[in-house]
């Protein structure tokens, strides 16, 4: 049966991916990168740029699995629905674990930075490092990022097999989600470039979903 109106699920997914992509370049571009063992670094934790950057990442990480969920809805009744469902489920878990770490960074480091600047004591930055590099915190963060990578790959597979969306439209975004963890070891310019690529790849995926919203994916024949 041909749709008479655009699929709102695909449109919602397009919006989620587009906004998430923009937020990721904001995250990488506005976060200050001062030496965080100094008072300048402590001041960067207390800055508006630090808060804006990390809140942007948090919102972006919420929107991405919402996009996968919208993709699942768009593919409902097809053989690719299950793959998109797994992408959404794993993505939610991965984002939740990763956001817990970002929350500590944006709220905890802000308080530490403000106190260090007020006291003129750069040694207080050691408190921030104590919880940032704690074994439990790093493990939860790494697992979260690994699950985000898996979810991105699963979503790309669902897009590839959809028969409606451009096969390659989910691949760049998946590759960038796989490289989410390694990009932390890049210089600032490299991280900004990574964020910009996330934006471009997310906008491509969003455009494909928006374009396809008026088309119905091929459904399997259902027994009467």
């Amino acid at each position: 049966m041909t749709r008479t109106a655009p699929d709102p699920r695909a449109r919602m997914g397009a919006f989620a991916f587009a906004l998430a992509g923009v937020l990721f370049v904001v995250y990488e571009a506005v976060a200050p990168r001062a030496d965080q063992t100094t008072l300048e670094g402590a001041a960067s934790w207390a800055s508006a740029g630090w808060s804006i950057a990390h809140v942007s990442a948090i919102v972006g990480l919420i929107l991405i699995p919402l996009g996968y969920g919208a993709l699942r809805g768009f593919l409902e009744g097809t053989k690719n629905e299950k793959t998109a469902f797994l992408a959404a489920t794993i993505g939610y878990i991965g984002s939740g674990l990763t956001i817990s770490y970002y929350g500590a960074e944006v709220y905890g480091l802000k308080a530490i930075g403000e106190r260090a600047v007020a006291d003129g004591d750069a040694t207080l930055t050691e408190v921030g490092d104590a919880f940032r590099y704690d074994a439990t915190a790093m493990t939860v963060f790494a697992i979260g990022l690994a699950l985000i990578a898996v979810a991105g790959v699963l979503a790309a597979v669902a897009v590839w097999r959809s028969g409606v969306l451009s096969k390659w439209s989910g691949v760049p975004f998946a590759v960038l989600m796989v490289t989410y963890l390694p990009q932390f070891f890049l210089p600032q310019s490299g991280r900004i470039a990574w964020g910009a690529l996330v934006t471009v790849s997310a906008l491509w995926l969003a455009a494909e979903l928006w374009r396809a919203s008026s088309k119905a994916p091929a459904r399997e024949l259902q027994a009467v």
Side-chain angles (χ1 to χ4, degrees):
M1 179 178 179
T2 304
R3 290 196 182 102
T4 58
D7 190 322
R9 296 167 295 188
R11 293 282 174 97
M12 184 185 76
F15 176 77
F17 284 123
L19 183 54
V22 172
L23 288 172
F24 264 88
V25 76
V26 171
Y27 161 54
E28 295 291 9
V30 307
R33 306 292 180 190
D35 181 350
Q36 296 179 356
T37 63
T38 65
L39 279 177
E40 182 184 1
S44 75
W45 290 348
S47 69
W50 184 267
S51 295
I52 292 170
H54 288 80
V55 170
S56 295
I58 289 170
V59 176
L61 287 171
I62 292 170
L63 290 170
I64 290 171
L66 283 176
Y68 297 154
L71 176 64
R72 184 218 64 81
F74 178 61
L75 298 175
E76 184 177 5
T78 75
K79 62 184 179 181
N80 303 299
E81 179 186 359
K82 182 177 179 180
T83 305
F85 171 78
L86 287 173
T89 302
I90 293 171
Y92 280 123
I93 297 170
S95 287
L97 293 174
T98 305
I99 286 170
S100 70
Y101 188 89
Y102 275 125
E105 285 215 316
V106 68
Y107 307 126
L109 293 184
K110 182 175 185 294
I112 293 169
E114 289 173 346
R115 181 61 181 267
V117 171
D119 293 354
D121 184 2
T123 63
L124 287 174
T125 59
E126 297 173 5
V127 178
D129 286 343
F131 73 75
R132 292 175 84 193
Y133 301 116
D134 172 75
T136 301
M138 293 299 291
T139 299
V140 169
F141 190 55
I143 292 173
L145 292 176
L147 292 176
I148 287 171
V150 171
V153 171
L154 287 170
V157 170
V159 168
W160 184 279
R161 297 175 176 173
S162 68
V164 178
L165 302 165
S166 171
K167 286 186 174 182
W168 289 99
S169 60
V171 173
F173 189 77
V175 170
L176 289 160
M177 292 300 99
V178 169
T179 58
Y180 198 147
L181 179 57
Q183 65 89 23
F184 285 112
F185 300 97
L186 296 174
Q188 183 175 6
S189 59
R191 293 189 61 175
I192 293 173
W194 179 86
L197 289 173
V198 171
T199 302
V200 172
S201 65
L203 289 175
W204 183 13
L205 188 53
E208 277 298 308
L209 275 169
W210 191 273
R211 179 191 61 80
S213 64
S214 60
K215 300 178 181 180
R219 311 281 194 232
E220 285 76 33
L221 293 176
Q222 302 294 326
V224 178

